[in-house]
Amino acid sequence: MDMTNLQERVIEIRRVARVVKGGKRLRFRALVVVGDGEGHVGVGIGKAGEVPDAVAKAVTRARKNMIEVPLAGTTVPHTVTAKAETATVLIKPAVKGTGVLAGQTVRAILEMAGIKDVITKSMGSTNPVNLAYATMEALKSLKRPREVAELRGVSIEQILKR
């Protein structure tokens, strides 16, 4: 995987506070997705006193957490559902020309992964962090047709015929 052509996209920047004796201490939390648009994507969270520092930390963590996503042309190989806390994400393959039908958080991750045609549904929590983690879990659980054929003990032609 080539780390030079990675793009990054900030999903959310939130001001967080902790209460101390003298008042509130403010910090910033950044949720960032990085990807190469060719099947590699990662999500990271960073917290710091300034926004640029928080984004830089999040990008570093996202690069460390990168995964490889199996693609079937411009879409995903099969339907998959994943859950993180109370956020559930359903990802379904779509025909060429459909586009990315997804909410803001899920869309950012799928586009960075290089998926161009997909239908998604987010259920439960709308918390961007949990949605991002649920989307990553869904992408991690995708299997290539060859892997499915080996698991079932059938030829790859039988899998692709469906």
Side-chain angles (χ1 to χ4, degrees), residues 134-152:
T135 305
M136 290 300 284
E137 279 306 311
L139 294 177
K140 278 183 202 170
S141 65
L142 285 171
K143 289 184 173 29
R144 289 178 174 80
R146 179 170 280 121
E147 293 172 36
V148 175
E150 286 172 13
L151 283 170
R152 294 184 190 169

Side-chain angles (χ1 to χ4, degrees), residues 114-128:
I115 298 167
K116 291 177 180 56
D117 300 301
V118 70
I119 298 170
T120 68
K121 172 85 178 142
S122 303
M123 296 159 284
S125 171
T126 57
N127 177 340

Side-chain angles (χ1 to χ4, degrees), residues 5 19 25 48 74 82 88-89 114 127 137-138 161:
N5 63 346
V19 181
R25 291 257 190 265
T74 60
T88 307
V89 172
N127 177 340
E137 279 306 311
K161 196 166 43 179

Side-chain angles (χ1 to χ4, degrees), residues 64-136:
K64 286 182 183 173
N65 297 332
M66 292 204 54
I67 62 165
E68 188 175 343
V69 181
L71 301 175
T74 60
T75 189
V76 290
H78 56 87
T79 302
V80 66
T81 306
K83 196 171 174 182
E85 301 295 328
T86 57
T88 307
V89 172
L90 166 75
I91 300 174
K92 287 172 72 175
V95 295
K96 196 168 176 68
T98 305
V100 179
L101 302 180
Q104 180 184 353
T105 305
V106 179
R107 173 187 294 269
I109 295 169
L110 295 177
E111 285 177 349
M112 288 303 215
I115 298 167
K116 291 177 180 56
D117 300 301
V118 70
I119 298 170
T120 68
K121 172 85 178 142
S122 303
M123 296 159 284
S125 171
T126 57
N127 177 340
V129 173
N130 288 338
L131 278 176
Y133 286 153
T135 305
M136 290 300 284

Side-chain angles (χ1 to χ4, degrees), residues 5-21:
N5 63 346
L6 288 179
Q7 303 157 343
E8 54 194 63
R9 191 180 302 176
V10 176
I11 296 175
E12 180 196 46
I13 293 178
R14 177 170 275 182
R15 200 177 78 172
V16 293
R18 71 170 194 258
V19 181
V20 293
K21 188 167 65 176

